[in-house]
Amino acid sequence: MSLRHAVLGLLAEAPASGYDLMKTFNASLANVWPATQSQVYGELAKLTTAGMVEVAAEGPRGRKEYAITDNGMSELRHWLIEVEPSGPPRFDGLLRVFFLGVLTPLEARAYLLSRAEAASRAHGALKHIDEVTPWDDDMISVYGRLALEYGLRQTAMQEEWARWAAEEVGREKARLASERARKTADEGDA
């Protein structure tokens, strides 16, 4: 349901065509809630059928500009105020950490350092967005900047944690736990 609400939220700022929505998605929401062109256009069709958006203007080559309706604004407000955010997302990268003991400490450390590097790259990409975005006083800029700051802080924390964890897997306790896990696995193969 969040794609629906993302489209409604963008249209709450101003009417837009599907093309305009995709540009805004790619410039601001893609790091929070990515969507493809077909998903956005499909959602616009569903929202139009549901009476939450309407075609406000038509242009050359079938270009349509959509605007949020009162029903759409009511749905967006309901979602913002009354619907509890979904629980934490499933994150297979962190799930893998639970089972790093089946690897050698060197392999586990390499995995964690690769996660640190990935977080560092993501942080750099977000910093670049922050530097090149003309943060205006419109709704998307003001509140988009808040979401971007979340991403900046999260990626910085992920990198710091992964580097710390890479050091931890080299400690004696982790080494012994890995040896026991591999021994148990070897005995099961015999």
Side-chain angles (χ1 to χ4, degrees):
M1 292 299 285
S2 291
L3 177 59
R4 164 174 287 209
H5 297 102
V7 171
L8 289 172
L10 291 175
L11 291 175
E13 175 73 16
S17 68
Y19 175 79
D20 296 333
L21 288 172
M22 279 309 303
K23 281 180 28 183
T24 304
F25 246 97
N26 291 334
S28 61
L29 295 179
N31 293 309
V32 176
W33 198 267
T36 64
Q37 182 176 343
S38 63
Q39 290 171 323
V40 169
Y41 279 95
E43 197 58 50
L44 282 169
K46 291 176 193 172
L47 289 167
T48 302
T49 300
M52 293 186 207
V53 303
E54 63 189 6
V55 176
E58 293 192 45
R61 296 184 307 268
R63 182 184 190 277
K64 295 178 183 176
E65 186 172 274
Y66 297 86
I68 192 168
T69 64
D70 290 342
N71 282 346
M73 186 59 81
S74 293
E75 171 59 24
L76 180 60
R77 290 182 52 75
H78 166 77
W79 178 73
L80 287 167
I81 296 168
E82 298 175 31
V83 177
E84 200 55 39
S86 61
R90 293 179 177 162
F91 180 35
D92 73 329
L94 193 54
L95 178 61
R96 293 169 195 228
V97 171
F98 279 91
F99 308 112
L100 288 179
V102 302
L103 303 177
T104 67
L106 184 61
E107 291 169 324
R109 183 173 162 75
Y111 170 78
L112 290 163
L113 289 175
S114 75
R115 296 298 80 218
E117 289 304 313
S120 177
R121 285 190 304 275
H123 187 79
L126 293 175
K127 279 181 75 168
H128 177 73
I129 290 170
D130 190 21
E131 292 164 1
V132 301
T133 301
W135 298 109
D136 299 323
D137 59 355
D138 62 347
M139 181 187 76
I140 299 298
S141 289
V142 171
Y143 294 99
R145 178 65 185 85
L146 295 177
L148 180 71
E149 182 63 26
Y150 177 88
L152 286 165
R153 291 178 187 208
Q154 183 181 48
T155 53
M157 182 279 305
Q158 287 171 339
E159 180 182 4
E160 178 187 350
W161 171 84
R163 292 191 189 288
W164 169 82
E167 292 300 317
E168 288 295 306
V169 298
R171 300 199 189 289
E172 182 69 10
K173 190 175 184 177
R175 186 182 62 74
L176 291 173
S178 290
E179 287 174 6
R180 279 193 302 276
R182 286 193 308 279
K183 182 179 179 187
T184 301
D186 291 343
E187 289 170 357
D189 290 340

